Amino acid sequence: AQSVSQHNHHVILSEAASLELGCNYSYGGTVNLFWYVQYPGQHLQLLLKYFSGDPLVKGIKGFEAEFIKSKFSFNLRKPSVQWSDTAEYFCAVSDSWGKLQFGAGTQVVVTP
Amino acid sequence: SAVISQKPSRDICQRGTSLTIQCQVDSQVTMMFWYRQQPGQSLTLIATANQGSEATYESGFVIDKFPISRPNLTFSTLTVSNMSPEDSSIYLCSVGNPEKLFFGSGTQLSVL
């Protein structure tokens, strides 16, 4: 069975600070990895995804994530956050059918 | 791409009643997934619905509580039975393959 662990439940940082959210997964097969974002009062949006190839994945809004197979990790980064990045971030892994297993989520608050 | 129509978008229900949520897709899909997002929590997979067979439920979810129908390749329903306030959540359907996953807009359920 697949599982996803997100390291931080809450992160508070100032605008222009760098952000890194940790995500570790366990899954026996080929992994498909995702980061989703949920802004207050809104539905999930896909930030980025990794299936194969370059382990450094670029997503929307300046986010990127690095897949490190040896560490079973898929950490999300953004060099300089903005107030509008305040949201909840979910790491997820899917099996070959598209069944998603989500992490518990990290609430990110960016202060002006 | 797939367009998913999910109904109702929200409902307020009385304890002990049942609500059926519909998910209509504009193309044929093999598998459909039903998720729940309880307030302040991550998304949890309830079950996987295949056309022509019984749904496969995740640990902690049972057919008596969440019966699912999948009469054809474009439609599925999830019923939340004998509701209690703990069932207050957003319920989402999802379709697609790992490379492209689509979510319905969700059903916001409040149980009084």
Side-chain angles (χ1 to χ4, degrees), chain A residues 4 6 23 33-36 74 89-93 101-103:
Chain A
V4 181
Q6 290 184 238
C23 173
L33 295 158
F34 306 80
W35 275 98
Y36 286 88
F74 189 56
Y89 293 81
F90 296 97
C91 182
V93 59
Q101 182 78 40
F102 286 86

Side-chain angles (χ1 to χ4, degrees), chain B residues 19-110:
Chain B
L19 175 72
T20 296
I21 302 167
Q22 299 179 2
C23 184
Q24 177 76 54
V25 189
D26 67 346
S27 57
Q28 294 184 338
V29 293
T30 304
M31 303 178 94
M32 297 178 77
F33 306 100
W34 286 98
Y35 292 89
R36 179 176 74 179
Q37 186 177 24
Q38 292 177 300
Q41 297 191 30
S42 184
L43 281 82
T44 303
L45 180 65
I46 298 170
T48 303
N50 291 333
Q51 193 266 334
S53 63
E54 280 200 7
T56 303
Y57 290 83
E58 298 297 306
S59 176
F61 297 96
V62 295
I63 188 171
D64 289 345
K65 176 68 176 176
F66 298 101
I68 288 172
S69 77
R70 184 79 202 275
N72 56 53
L73 290 172
T74 64
F75 187 78
S76 178
T77 67
L78 169 76
T79 299
V80 186
S81 303
N82 188 25
M83 287 185 284
S84 67
E86 292 71 36
D87 294 319
S88 297
S89 294
I90 297 173
Y91 292 85
L92 290 146
C93 65
S94 171
V95 302
N97 56 55
E99 299 220 359
K100 208 145 217 182
L101 289 166
F102 302 93
F103 287 90
S105 54
T107 297
Q108 173 81 59
L109 172 61
S110 298

Side-chain angles (χ1 to χ4, degrees), chain A:
Chain A
Q2 56 208 35
S3 67
V4 181
S5 173
Q6 290 184 238
H7 305 170
N8 311 96
H9 294 297
H10 290 92
V11 171
I12 302 174
L13 61 168
S14 302
E15 276 191 311
S18 64
L19 173 70
E20 179 160 0
L21 302 181
C23 173
N24 286 94
Y25 67 91
S26 69
Y27 183 55
T30 301
V31 289
N32 304 298
L33 295 158
F34 306 80
W35 275 98
Y36 286 88
V37 62
Q38 189 170 31
Y39 297 102
Q42 297 188 28
H43 297 297
L44 281 178
Q45 291 181 40
L46 179 66
L47 270 180
L48 48 78
K49 58 190 177 186
Y50 171 81
F51 295 104
S52 62
D54 189 343
L56 186 61
V57 181
K58 304 283 187 184
I60 61 171
K61 303 178 190 272
F63 285 91
E64 65 179 30
E66 185 174 12
F67 170 58
I68 302 179
K69 188 175 182 180
S70 61
K71 295 185 178 180
F72 299 93
S73 69
F74 189 56
N75 293 351
L76 181 72
R77 296 194 292 252
K78 184 169 183 177
S80 176
V81 295
Q82 302 172 312
W83 175 79
S84 58
D85 292 321
T86 294
E88 187 141 23
Y89 293 81
F90 296 97
C91 182
V93 59
S94 84
D95 63 9
S96 56
W97 295 102
K99 182 171 76 173
L100 282 167
Q101 182 78 40
F102 286 86
T106 299
Q107 181 67 52
V108 174
V109 174
V110 180
T111 59

